[in-house]
Amino acid sequence: MLKKKSISAGKASLVLFLCQMISALDVPLDLSQPPTITQQSPKDYIVDPRENIVIQCEAKGKPPPSFSWTRNGTHFDIDKDAQVTMKPNSGTLVINIMNGGKAEAYEGVYQCTARNERGAAISNNIVIRPSRSPLWTKEKLEPNQVREGDSLVLHCRPPVGLPPPIIFWMDNAFQRLPQSERVSQGLNGDLYFSNVQPEDTREDYICYARFNHTQTIQQKQPISVKVFSVDSLNDTIAANLSDTDIYGAKPVTERQPVLLTPTGSTSTKVELRGNVLLLECIAAGLPTPVIRWIKEGGELPANRTFFENFKKTLKIIDVSEADSGNYKCIARNILGSAHHVISVTVKAAPYWITAPRNLVLSPGEDGTLICRANGNPKPNISWLANGVPIAIAPEDPSRKVDGDTIIFSHVQERSSAVYQCNASNEYGYLLANAFVNVLAEPPRILTPANKLYQVIADSPALLDCAYFGSPKPEIEWFKGVKGSILRGNEYVFHDNGTLEIPVAQKDSTGTYTCVARNELGKIQNEVQLEVKDPTMIIKQPEYKVIQRYGQVSFECIIKHDSTLLPTVIWLKDNNELPDDERFLVGKDNLTIMNVTDKDDGTYTCIVNTTLDSVSASAVLTVVARPNPPFDLELTGQLERSVELSWIPGDENNSPITNFVIEYEDGLHEPGVWHYQTEVPGTQTTVQLKLSPYVNYSFRVIAVNEIGRSQPSESSEQYLTKSANPDENPSNVQGIGSEPDNLVITWESLKGFQSNGPGLQYKVSWRQKDVDDEWTSVIVANVSKYIVSGTPTFVPYEIKVQALNDLGYAPEPSEVIGHSGEDLPMVAPGNVQVHVINSTLAKVHWDPVPLKSVRGHLQGYKVYYWKVQSLSRRSRRHVEKKILTFRGNKTFGMLPGLEPYSSYKLNVRVVNGKGEGPASPDKVFKTPEGVPSSPSFLKITNPTLDSLTLEWGSPTHPNGVLTSYILKFQPINNTHELGPLVEIRIPANESSLILKNLNYSTRYKFYFNAQTSVGSGSQITEEAVTIMDEAMASRQVDIATQGWFIGLMCAVALLILILLIVCFIRRNKGGKYPVKEKEDAHADPEIQPMKEDDGTFGEYSDAEDHKPLKKGSRTPSDRTVKKEDSDDSLVDYGEGVNGQFNEDGSFIGQYSGKKEKEPAEGNESSEAPSPVNAMNSFV
């Protein structure tokens, strides 16, 4: 059975190619088939009332279908309407509006039916509606007078059009009115002002409605807005009141947000699955509020969420049921916030899960049509047959309706029909046609013969085999005209007949034959595949850094298939090269002479062939290291800081990324520059922290991507004043080097850290947990001090403080150290050994008291050694092994022991000084294990029917040997194995003569030793019994020679004469001497074979003539692969008996007397012929 896979979604080109071939599975148009709708107008069809109405309905079928229409559910007789015509060979209606017809007269629901003798297909219900672009109703618009800072809404209220118009606001000059967070247009077309400003005053706010279908624009009357500022309002009041009146308008006050739309605190919104969800919140307030959106209890969907109209509109595309929920908009300014919650429910018009697909069946076949759709609410599924509800359609005994499935059984030609599935709910419907076409057609291949496919090596190859037949043909692919069928994981066989070679190689080139067969016939087609070497850029252009006015060259050396013609194109920054004679394009390089700054960029070499394209890019940077900074200046000198400034040098077309500031201490390390700090390349001043008692000089280095500049000239010197040390030595430690001392060490301060002259250290110590005073000494500028006469391994508190001529550093922190260690005093006790198996033991011991360790406990060491092997009493050199167990462990595992041996061990505690005394030696023994393989196996003294085996005992018996196991079996000249024979041999034997073997036969032997635990690993050998020289001399195949036949006839005649003479002499009482010799010396050629009595060989001792069980036979067609080893036991496996245990021995025992059976396959109960015997030596 051919392997079939689905098309990989990750290969776009493969998907496209296979999708283009899907039509190959359609019924060819020269065969009878029911109608199929191929083109129809949209369900909701809005037409331009000024143009002819064209309602499309195209279908294919054989015979060609005839067309009819219904309008509003009743038959539409187009012959009775002079304005309506149907296109020839088509179902498309043309309604002539331009010659006096009115589009409104043809509004309605239309449906097309395409019918032939095999069925009827129907179109969707096509709703025809002419577009409408009505005028604005006349209305009297009062001027809008608004106080500055108040909110305002200018209503558009466009006329209801079909489809709805696009709304926008402009002025008298047809310029769009500017919109912002403060002023914006809502989804309903109204213009919203969060707060009005004096500049909003104008008289030409005009709302326009554009009707795209009729390409008309309708205009609303201009709206006037006048904004009164507080100052102008006060002036108006003052002009109308006396001086004694109290007057004055309130100043513009800030207000917290209030939502203009939507109103209230909550609202609802229903949207359909797959549509765009638009939610809007526009707020009034001063300052202008900012809108923010959240989804309660969830996140806004990533990658599908967009904000429009200055975040006042939330837009979610391709909504699904998961987008249902509560969406909250929050309007906020400095005075507060307002919010509104919109509850969104996503419903769904029906959508396909499984749309019904055309069925092509042969008479007597079974099939199903499946129609599965989903929606919210769940859609209702109904079936039609040839456009008629299936409940009232003519009965078909082969058809059974089961909900969303129609089951067909034993179809006949009359079962051909077109079925319609309708899935509908309150939000819409889906209608799908699917035909059942009952045909009996032999296979045909639609792909042109000898089509040539060319691909690049290591890329997929797709070989087309578009086919058709009924029953559906089986597709097989062959390589070559007489090649074997293609199978295996290196091929993918697609349902449409395409053969995919996922990774085509050069040896994939050749002729491929596609064979399509069904019960009515077979057909084949050949295509050609050529696999080309890939085009490669073997030397790619490399990144170049070049200084101005230099010369640079980019290489692009390619390797390509000799049958493909490559073209090489150079681009600069993905555009053509500049038209400049400085650019020289060679065969495999691009050279730029006299490089300038404008030549910066990315240069790409593109190599194209008809099958592939490769490219490589490199960047050219024309730069140089920056020039050194100059004019260094020190200002703001303080005891611990100074400000350094400088002027940068030339960047040389590469921006300076940072400046490095270095200093020299002329007092302590003259001539040595140290890193101080670095600052970004945009900074030219820095405040530097200083240390006391340092004679500073500074210099600055500029750095860009190319490198560092030369250092600047050094600044003037600045000597800071002396001070107490700021810090103490670091890394203070106390570790004894002897049992009676304590060595205190530290890292000394560097020169500038001393902060003044006369640097010294105060070293202090005291024993921890003892009521003792600190002992202190002051030492010179060193880094070690030794305290003598201490107890062994006791903790000490230690501190080291720096001081100079001006005083001490801050109080140092204390550290804990220990005086010197001594060797442990006590050995571990209660040592116990638990032998787990023949190679592993577990040792336990009691921990020693910590006081007796006299140092840091590092762990325990286990010394163990083999005393002697229990199977060999001879002693050998003792090699002690050591295992260390870190920490305070009280047990450990001893791996790698030898079985059946006597061991000793002891345990010692270890500290930093060394090992303590050993525990008393503990003796333990390991049990027996399986032996190693025999040391050798030799096969000598081959005769016609016997072999002598000699062997050596195992190097490692690992116990007391109980016996040896010998297994052997014959091998014929085709490497097939005969029955396996097993013999058990006493352990004290070292040789064996195998008798009753077949002459001139190769045998394979498997030999291993056993202890009471089990069998050890085996060794194998092969040997051949010899053949009689007289037989060898008669091996030559001369039986067909004429002279040989004549000679045999003469010999036969001579023997006949001799027999007659002998008979006469017997009758006379004489004795024929030759007979006596034959009796005394039997010729092995004419003796009956031992195999006849079922005996293969015998053990020469007490087990002579032990019966053996017959082995399983090898199938006659069994072969051995060339690449497999001739010695492989797997190759010689005999059915289920050819299995092995983990130790390599065959599963099962062979015993019992062998019975005669007739010859089967390559085996024979007879002795091998001399020719075969000779071949066994070759």
Side-chain angles (χ1 to χ4, degrees):
M1 194 69 178
L2 297 181
K3 182 179 180 181
K4 297 186 178 180
K5 291 185 179 179
S6 61
I7 300 173
S8 172
K11 302 178 181 176
S13 60
L14 173 61
V15 171
L16 177 62
F17 181 81
L18 291 176
C19 287
Q20 291 171 346
M21 297 192 300
I22 292 300
S23 60
L25 301 179
D26 291 344
V27 180
L29 287 177
D30 61 333
L31 297 178
S32 296
Q33 58 179 296
T36 300
I37 301 290
T38 58
Q39 193 173 1
Q40 58 183 314
S41 294
K43 294 179 181 178
D44 191 6
Y45 189 16
I46 299 175
V47 299
D48 190 333
R50 301 167 299 179
E51 297 180 353
N52 292 341
I53 301 174
V54 178
I55 311 176
Q56 289 184 325
C57 180
E58 303 290 342
K60 65 178 182 177
K62 184 68 181 290
S66 61
F67 296 88
S68 62
W69 286 86
T70 62
R71 177 183 174 190
N72 297 327
T74 60
H75 176 66
F76 182 34
D77 191 348
I78 62 176
D79 295 332
K80 292 183 179 181
D81 191 332
Q83 303 294 334
V84 182
T85 59
M86 185 183 294
K87 289 185 178 181
N89 302 317
S90 167
T92 298
L93 294 182
V94 178
I95 303 174
N96 196 332
I97 300 299
M98 301 178 69
N99 288 337
K102 291 188 177 180
E104 290 79 4
Y106 292 94
E107 285 192 59
V109 180
Y110 292 77
Q111 188 171 44
C112 170
T113 301
R115 185 184 308 274
N116 67 10
E117 62 188 28
R118 291 206 162 227
I122 61 176
S123 70
N124 291 322
N125 287 327
I126 303 169
V127 179
I128 302 295
R129 293 185 295 170
S131 63
R132 297 182 178 88
S133 52
L135 298 175
W136 246 288
T137 56
K138 290 188 177 182
E139 55 181 324
K140 185 177 181 181
L141 299 176
E142 297 292 337
N144 291 276
Q145 297 187 4
V146 192
R147 179 179 178 226
E148 180 184 354
D150 287 350
S151 62
L152 174 65
V153 180
L154 300 183
H155 298 287
C156 179
R157 299 189 182 97
V160 178
L162 185 67
I166 297 173
I167 306 300
F168 52 94
W169 289 79
M170 294 198 297
D171 58 16
N172 277 331
F174 296 102
Q175 299 297 315
R176 286 186 179 268
L177 296 174
Q179 299 190 20
S180 62
E181 289 185 343
R182 186 178 64 85
V183 182
S184 60
Q185 177 182 314
L187 294 176
N188 62 356
D190 292 347
L191 190 64
Y192 292 86
F193 295 77
S194 294
N195 52 80
V196 295
Q197 301 296 326
E199 60 266 25
D200 296 329
T201 297
R202 63 189 309 153
E203 296 181 352
D204 56 351
Y205 285 95
I206 305 173
C207 181
Y208 287 86
R210 184 174 68 217
F211 298 90
N212 283 341
H213 256 69
T214 58
Q215 297 181 350
T216 58
I217 297 178
Q218 303 291 351
Q219 172 184 338
K220 186 182 179 75
Q221 290 178 294
I223 302 175
S224 173
V225 173
K226 186 173 183 180
V227 179
F228 291 97
S229 65
V230 173
D231 292 338
S232 62
L233 190 59
N234 283 337
D235 292 342
T236 302
I237 296 173
N240 293 283
L241 297 176
S242 65
D243 293 341
T244 59
D245 292 328
I246 300 175
Y247 67 92
K250 295 181 180 178
V252 176
T253 57
E254 295 179 336
R255 299 188 309 280
Q256 68 180 26
V258 175
L259 288 174
L260 298 175
T261 182
T263 58
S265 60
T266 62
S267 60
T268 60
K269 172 83 171 180
V270 176
E271 191 55 80
L272 293 183
R273 179 181 184 269
N275 286 356
V276 176
L277 173 65
L278 293 173
L279 304 178
E280 180 181 59
C281 274
I282 301 177
L286 187 67
T288 303
V290 176
I291 304 296
R292 186 169 66 92
W293 291 89
I294 61 172
K295 183 180 181 182
E296 294 183 345
E299 299 289 335
L300 295 175
N303 304 323
R304 294 190 293 115
T305 300
F306 303 92
F307 298 100
E308 297 179 345
N309 197 18
F310 308 99
K311 293 191 176 181
K312 300 174 187 178
T313 302
L314 171 65
K315 177 180 178 181
I316 301 177
I317 62 174
D318 192 23
V319 295
S320 65
E321 288 86 343
D323 295 319
S324 296
N326 292 332
Y327 293 81
K328 178 188 285 188
C329 68
I330 303 170
R332 186 184 302 277
N333 66 11
I334 58 176
L335 297 182
S337 64
H339 68 268
H340 184 91
V341 176
I342 305 173
S343 179
V344 174
T345 302
V346 178
K347 298 290 186 177
Y351 56 90
W352 290 121
I353 297 175
T354 304
R357 302 182 63 180
N358 294 337
L359 274 180
V360 178
L361 302 173
S362 62
E365 279 193 317
D366 302 336
T368 58
L369 287 179
I370 300 175
C371 176
R372 289 185 183 143
N374 202 358
N376 186 9
K378 189 171 182 63
N380 178 52
I381 304 293
S382 61
W383 287 96
L384 298 90
N386 295 325
V388 178
I390 203 164
I392 62 175
E395 290 190 4
D396 183 351
S398 66
R399 178 183 69 212
K400 178 184 177 182
V401 180
D402 184 8
D404 59 7
T405 303
I406 301 181
I407 304 169
F408 297 92
S409 304
H410 303 291
V411 296
Q412 300 303 320
E413 188 172 356
R414 64 178 180 274
S415 301
S416 296
V418 183
Y419 291 88
Q420 291 82 33
C421 172
N422 185 300
S424 60
N425 65 13
E426 60 187 276
Y427 297 105
Y429 74 94
L430 293 172
L431 178 69
N433 290 275
F435 64 65
V436 175
N437 196 12
V438 181
L439 294 173
E441 286 292 326
R444 60 173 70 183
I445 294 179
L446 309 178
T447 300
N450 291 314
K451 185 174 181 180
L452 176 62
Y453 296 89
Q454 294 180 326
V455 298
I456 294 297
D458 296 325
S459 63
L462 296 166
L463 308 183
D464 186 13
C465 182
Y467 65 90
F468 181 78
S470 182
K472 183 179 178 181
E474 291 288 332
I475 302 298
E476 293 178 331
W477 280 91
F478 300 82
K479 185 175 182 184
V481 179
K482 297 183 179 180
S484 58
I485 187 170
L486 298 182
R487 304 179 188 277
N489 293 330
E490 63 268 30
Y491 302 102
V492 179
F493 303 94
H494 294 280
D495 286 338
N496 61 2
T498 296
L499 168 66
E500 178 187 350
I501 306 175
V503 184
Q505 302 294 335
K506 290 288 286 185
D507 58 5
S508 303
T509 297
T511 301
Y512 289 79
T513 303
C514 166
V515 178
R517 60 163 55 89
N518 65 13
E519 62 189 35
L520 300 179
K522 177 178 86 169
I523 192 171
Q524 68 182 43
N525 186 43
E526 295 178 4
V527 295
Q528 309 296 324
L529 174 63
E530 291 181 359
V531 181
K532 308 291 187 179
D533 289 325
T535 305
M536 296 184 293
I537 301 178
I538 57 178
K539 187 166 181 60
Q540 300 184 357
E542 298 177 348
Y543 170 72
K544 301 284 186 180
V545 177
I546 191 74
Q547 291 195 13
R548 289 188 299 269
Y549 313 121
Q551 175 180 321
V552 67
S553 181
F554 293 106
E555 287 187 291
C556 185
I557 301 176
I558 64 173
K559 179 182 178 183
H560 63 91
D561 192 283
S562 59
T563 63
L564 300 177
L565 183 62
T567 58
V568 180
I569 302 172
W570 284 92
L571 301 177
K572 179 183 184 295
D573 297 329
N574 292 325
N575 296 310
E576 293 183 0
L577 292 177
D579 186 10
D580 192 327
E581 60 184 9
R582 297 183 300 109
F583 289 80
L584 305 177
V585 178
K587 177 184 177 183
D588 51 15
N589 61 59
L590 168 66
T591 302
I592 307 174
M593 311 290 292
N594 197 21
V595 173
T596 67
D597 294 340
K598 294 187 298 182
D599 298 331
D600 274 345
T602 300
Y603 291 84
T604 303
C605 166
I606 302 177
V607 185
N608 294 314
T609 69
T610 55
L611 296 181
D612 62 349
S613 177
V614 292
S615 65
S617 298
V619 175
L620 174 63
T621 306
V622 186
V623 290
R625 295 187 298 174
N627 293 344
F630 55 94
D631 281 355
L632 273 66
E633 183 180 5
L634 295 178
T635 57
Q637 291 91 341
L638 300 174
E639 289 187 2
R640 293 295 183 101
S641 68
V642 69
E643 184 174 271
L644 173 67
S645 60
W646 62 91
I647 298 176
D650 193 345
E651 294 180 340
N652 291 330
N653 296 327
S654 179
I656 295 174
T657 58
N658 57 294
F659 293 100
V660 177
I661 293 89
E662 296 180 340
Y663 73 91
E664 175 195 24
D665 182 0
L667 190 63
H668 300 97
E669 295 179 294
V672 179
W673 289 91
H674 300 276
Y675 173 84
Q676 171 84 12
T677 187
E678 60 184 84
V679 296
T682 56
Q683 189 172 327
T684 58
T685 61
V686 62
Q687 192 78 17
L688 300 175
K689 293 182 178 180
L690 306 179
S691 296
Y693 194 53
V694 177
N695 191 13
Y696 283 101
S697 292
F698 299 97
R699 68 183 188 185
V700 181
I701 299 171
V703 182
N704 64 10
E705 292 183 355
I706 307 306
R708 297 160 64 101
S709 71
Q710 293 294 320
S712 67
E713 296 291 331
S714 59
S715 70
E716 60 182 299
Q717 290 186 334
Y718 176 51
L719 178 62
T720 55
K721 295 181 180 180
S722 301
N724 293 6
D726 293 325
E727 52 190 307
N728 287 302
S730 60
N731 197 22
V732 178
Q733 293 182 338
I735 302 174
S737 61
E738 297 295 337
D740 59 351
N741 75 5
L742 172 66
V743 180
I744 302 173
T745 59
W746 60 91
E747 287 186 10
S748 301
L749 300 180
K750 296 181 180 179
F752 72 90
Q753 293 176 308
S754 65
N755 287 2
L759 177 64
Q760 294 178 298
Y761 299 101
K762 179 182 178 182
V763 183
S764 305
W765 67 91
R766 68 178 178 185
Q767 190 172 338
K768 190 175 183 295
D769 300 328
V770 175
D771 189 12
D772 201 356
E773 296 293 330
W774 287 94
T775 302
S776 300
V777 296
I778 295 179
V779 298
N781 188 9
V782 295
S783 60
K784 180 172 73 172
Y785 182 77
I786 300 176
V787 180
S788 301
T790 63
T792 300
F793 195 67
V794 295
Y796 278 87
E797 296 175 318
I798 305 166
K799 58 184 178 180
V800 180
Q801 186 177 25
L803 67 151
N804 61 17
D805 291 347
L806 279 78
Y808 286 88
E811 184 67 20
S813 58
E814 300 171 8
V815 298
I816 303 299
H818 286 80
S819 57
E821 299 181 64
D822 206 347
L823 294 176
M825 301 172 58
V826 178
N830 193 25
V831 177
Q832 301 291 330
V833 179
H834 172 59
V835 178
I836 296 175
N837 56 40
S838 60
T839 61
L840 181 66
K842 185 176 184 180
V843 57
H844 293 262
W845 61 87
D846 291 341
V848 300
L850 289 179
K851 287 186 178 180
S852 68
V853 175
R854 298 202 296 180
H856 295 286
L857 175 64
Q858 295 186 353
Y860 292 86
K861 285 187 178 180
V862 177
Y863 286 74
Y864 65 101
W865 61 95
K866 179 179 174 181
V867 178
Q868 67 176 15
S869 172
L870 299 179
S871 59
R872 296 177 181 175
R873 296 302 178 184
S874 59
R875 294 180 175 268
R876 63 174 185 175
H877 173 68
V878 174
E879 179 184 354
K880 289 189 176 182
K881 298 181 181 179
I882 306 173
L883 285 178
T884 301
F885 300 95
R886 300 290 179 186
N888 197 23
K889 290 192 68 172
T890 59
F891 68 90
M893 307 299 290
L894 306 181
L897 304 177
E898 294 184 15
Y900 206 49
S901 300
S902 177
Y903 280 86
K904 287 185 178 181
L905 65 76
N906 58 55
V907 185
R908 311 174 191 197
V909 68
V910 182
N911 66 11
K913 189 73 173 177
E915 301 175 4
S919 66
D921 290 349
K922 189 74 174 180
V923 178
F924 66 95
K925 297 178 182 180
T926 56
E928 289 188 74
V930 297
S932 62
S933 61
S935 56
F936 67 88
L937 174 63
K938 293 194 302 184
I939 304 175
T940 59
N941 301 327
T943 66
L944 286 172
D945 63 350
S946 68
L947 292 169
T948 300
L949 279 67
E950 298 178 357
W951 59 85
S953 59
T955 306
H956 301 286
N958 295 336
V960 178
L961 295 183
T962 58
S963 63
Y964 293 100
I965 301 298
L966 172 66
K967 300 176 183 177
F968 63 95
Q969 56 191 151
I971 310 172
N972 66 14
N973 57 343
T974 60
H975 298 286
E976 294 175 335
L977 298 177
L980 187 68
V981 179
E982 179 179 320
I983 298 176
R984 186 178 298 274
I985 305 169
N988 58 353
E989 296 291 338
S990 62
S991 65
L992 170 68
I993 299 175
L994 279 178
K995 297 181 180 180
N996 296 329
L997 303 178
N998 292 339
Y999 67 88
S1000 185
T1001 302
R1002 179 179 295 275
Y1003 288 89
K1004 188 159 189 174
F1005 298 89
Y1006 315 92
F1007 194 67
N1008 63 290
Q1010 281 191 331
T1011 64
S1012 60
V1013 176
S1015 297
S1017 57
Q1018 64 183 12
I1019 58 175
T1020 63
E1021 285 290 342
E1022 291 187 11
V1024 181
T1025 55
I1026 66 173
M1027 67 176 176
D1028 184 36
E1029 293 182 1
M1031 286 190 64
S1033 66
R1034 296 198 294 270
Q1035 290 286 322
V1036 182
D1037 188 5
I1038 57 175
T1040 60
Q1041 303 295 322
W1043 63 267
F1044 179 78
I1045 296 173
L1047 179 61
M1048 291 298 100
C1049 291
V1051 171
L1053 180 60
L1054 180 59
I1055 293 174
L1056 179 60
I1057 295 172
L1058 289 174
L1059 288 175
I1060 294 172
V1061 173
C1062 291
F1063 180 77
I1064 294 172
R1065 292 190 63 178
R1066 276 185 177 274
N1067 289 339
K1068 293 181 178 180
K1071 197 163 187 179
Y1072 185 43
V1074 177
K1075 179 70 170 63
E1076 296 172 358
K1077 293 182 180 180
E1078 289 178 351
D1079 292 339
H1081 304 285
D1083 190 338
E1085 288 185 39
I1086 60 176
Q1087 289 183 10
M1089 291 297 181
K1090 288 286 184 179
E1091 191 180 5
D1092 288 344
D1093 64 8
T1095 307
F1096 241 124
E1098 54 185 278
Y1099 180 61
S1100 60
D1101 288 0
E1103 295 186 5
D1104 284 357
H1105 308 294
K1106 185 176 183 180
L1108 301 175
K1109 181 184 282 187
K1110 171 186 165 297
S1112 62
R1113 294 187 177 273
T1114 304
S1116 62
D1117 59 348
R1118 188 153 192 174
T1119 57
V1120 180
K1121 294 182 180 178
K1122 285 185 178 181
E1123 62 269 13
D1124 290 343
S1125 168
D1126 290 343
D1127 294 331
S1128 171
L1129 291 179
V1130 176
D1131 291 343
Y1132 301 145
E1134 295 287 322
V1136 295
N1137 294 326
Q1139 303 178 43
F1140 293 86
N1141 285 321
E1142 291 180 356
D1143 60 0
S1145 61
F1146 275 90
I1147 297 175
Q1149 300 294 326
Y1150 292 81
S1151 60
K1153 186 173 180 64
K1154 178 179 178 181
E1155 298 176 359
K1156 280 191 176 182
E1157 285 186 1
E1160 175 181 334
N1162 291 338
E1163 291 188 2
S1164 173
S1165 60
E1166 299 295 327
S1169 70
V1171 175
N1172 288 340
M1174 177 63 75
N1175 290 339
S1176 67
F1177 284 93
V1178 179

